[in-house]
Amino acid sequence: MSQPGTSVLPAGRQGRIARVRAAMEESGIEAMLLSLGADLPWLTGYQAMPLERLTVLVVPADADAVLLVPELEAPRVDPDPAVFEVRPWAEGEDPVAAAARIVGSRRRLAVSDRMWSTFLLALQEALPSREWGTSSRVTGPLRAVKDREEVEALAAASAGADRVAAALLGGEVALVGRSERQVSEDLGRRLIAEGHDRVDFAIVGSGPNSASPHHEPGTRVIGPGEAVVCDFGGTMAGYCSDITRTVFTGEPSPEMVELYALLQEAQAAAVAAATVGTPCEEVDRVARERIAAGGYGAAFIHRTGHGIGMEGHEDPYIVAGNAQPLVAGHAFSVEPGIYLAGRYGARIEDIVVATDAGPRPLNLASHDLTVVG
Ligand code: ZN
Ligand code: ZN
Ligand code: ZN
């Protein structure tokens, strides 16, 4: 079976674990226990199966990392002795007790944000009177800064999504007369055909549904003269894509034209603002200010963007209140939207990387107002 998380490029791993140890030192965390979620594949290239058998990488700040993995899963691990030791556990063994033995007397512990509560509760029982936190405090800021290989992996995934967007904009994806669900499935099939290992989502919101940002594509049949928001993405070689284009099935009304032009301008202004050193919240403010100036401030009902990498949503968040300055290697979406409840909406989304040479959009499919059949 294909495991999307297993193909992480190994080049950066040793550097990553060194940075993790330094950050653990700084925050006083003595051991991390990494299970489900992206921290584990980011460090080891191995993605734990989301199953009842525990897989956990124990990373003591002051000793070698050990990957406890069910014996039957062990063949899927690509060993990297410079980074971690593999210790398979057999049916009948107690992996929680084994993890507790590796943790030993260390007191300040951090676990994967997405570790199942069944595992965490068992670990807490086996390791009484410890301090527990989430690993993202350590790994979030580190994972947010992509190395060169990661940027190229994101660029490849974005290019695949771009080719699907180009087909949509070029009228190759039939809309009128098909249900949202049929179009969603079509977009998903095209993502796979363009090299994705997995489709993570393919939102298709038509007519009044285009005003619902995370609309679940349903049986509604797309008609002529409607706005259709298509927001789709997946995973390619462990890294995510995420793109939104809004198309119109027939000549849009003057109001739609004006609204779309405003959105296009706000999105471009926010991308241009995403320079190294600019606070994340400033990028959000730029988009919001433009949309408010056009009279649609109350209709922009979500943050401007989110970080992206091995997870579809991760640090840094492009949102009011996040004063963190952008650094070279931050990868994130810029996706303002305008939604008129019960009527229609529009969104434009690109993935952008902050670089010393300026913002680098990874999605290049056209933003122009596009009328398709
Ligand atoms: Zn979204
Ligand atoms: Zn999206
Ligand atoms: Zn997004």
Side-chain angles (χ1 to χ4, degrees):
M1 111 179 241
S2 122
Q3 280 297 317
T6 53
S7 33
V8 179
L9 304 148
R13 274 188 216 149
Q14 280 187 54
R16 285 174 201 168
I17 198 133
R19 292 199 295 281
V20 164
R21 288 185 198 285
M24 287 171 72
E25 191 87 30
E26 218 165 281
S27 51
I29 291 174
E30 293 165 280
M32 300 224 293
L33 296 111
L34 304 177
S35 179
L36 296 179
D39 289 340
L40 178 60
W42 179 68
L43 280 172
T44 65
Y46 180 71
Q47 185 145 32
M49 294 284 274
L51 294 176
E52 71 289 354
R53 294 185 180 96
L54 177 65
T55 297
V56 62
L57 179 74
V58 185
V59 187
D62 56 353
D64 289 343
V66 178
L67 179 65
L68 289 167
V69 61
E71 196 168 24
L72 77 165
E73 310 287 358
R76 298 196 303 112
V77 178
D78 183 12
D80 194 344
V83 176
F84 62 96
E85 176 197 330
V86 186
R87 206 174 294 172
W89 58 269
E91 300 280 46
E93 272 185 62
D94 180 356
V96 170
R101 279 195 298 275
I102 300 167
V103 170
S105 61
R106 298 177 184 90
R107 292 190 38 80
R108 299 197 64 209
L109 312 177
V111 300
S112 296
D113 295 30
R114 306 206 195 323
M115 178 182 277
W116 282 359
S117 51
T118 46
F119 299 137
L120 175 58
L121 290 170
L123 285 163
Q124 288 184 322
E125 209 178 299
L127 292 161
S129 17
R130 314 297 166 112
E131 262 179 66
W132 299 85
T134 51
S135 63
S136 60
R137 278 165 53 206
V138 169
T139 58
L142 300 177
R143 275 180 37 210
V145 182
K146 272 66 186 178
D147 58 34
R148 199 176 49 78
E149 289 87 351
E150 290 185 293
V151 170
E152 289 323 306
L154 282 169
S158 289
D162 259 358
R163 291 191 291 273
V164 179
L168 172 70
L169 297 166
E172 291 169 42
V173 181
L175 298 174
V176 174
R178 289 213 292 176
S179 70
E180 294 172 340
R181 192 172 295 152
Q182 284 174 310
V183 175
S184 172
E185 286 166 3
D186 192 344
L187 293 171
R189 277 192 300 273
R190 286 169 189 266
L191 280 172
I192 298 294
E194 293 296 352
H196 283 70
D197 303 307
R198 187 177 74 209
V199 179
D200 293 326
F201 56 91
I203 297 169
V204 177
S206 64
N209 294 339
S210 61
S212 168
H214 280 174
H215 175 67
E216 176 72 26
T219 54
R220 185 182 189 278
V221 174
I222 300 170
E226 295 182 341
V228 185
V229 173
C230 299
D231 181 350
F232 47 93
T235 306
M236 186 191 284
Y239 284 80
C240 294
S241 67
D242 185 1
I243 185 171
T244 308
R245 290 295 182 268
T246 301
V247 294
F248 297 89
T249 56
E251 275 318 306
S253 67
E255 184 198 52
M256 281 176 172
V257 172
E258 188 201 290
L259 180 151
Y260 189 84
L262 178 68
L263 180 65
Q264 203 180 341
E265 193 218 313
Q267 201 271 348
V271 171
T275 53
V276 167
T278 301
C280 290
E281 63 184 356
E282 172 62 12
V283 177
D284 179 79
R285 197 196 59 77
V286 166
R288 212 161 290 285
E289 183 185 72
R290 301 288 169 113
I291 290 172
Y296 290 106
F300 178 14
I301 53 176
H302 54 69
R303 66 186 175 216
T304 293
H306 53 81
I308 188 168
M310 301 192 81
E311 285 186 293
H313 289 190
E314 57 182 45
D315 286 327
Y317 290 94
I318 310 300
V319 64
N322 185 5
Q324 180 188 16
L326 289 172
V327 304
H330 272 157
F332 47 89
S333 70
V334 176
E335 51 175 310
I338 301 176
Y339 310 97
L340 307 182
R343 297 181 60 213
Y344 67 95
R347 176 165 70 257
I348 300 172
E349 171 178 28
D350 291 325
I351 302 305
V352 177
V353 179
T355 80
D356 290 322
R360 175 187 170 196
L362 300 185
N363 293 111
L364 304 169
S366 172
H367 295 173
D368 292 348
L369 190 150
T370 302
V371 176
V372 294

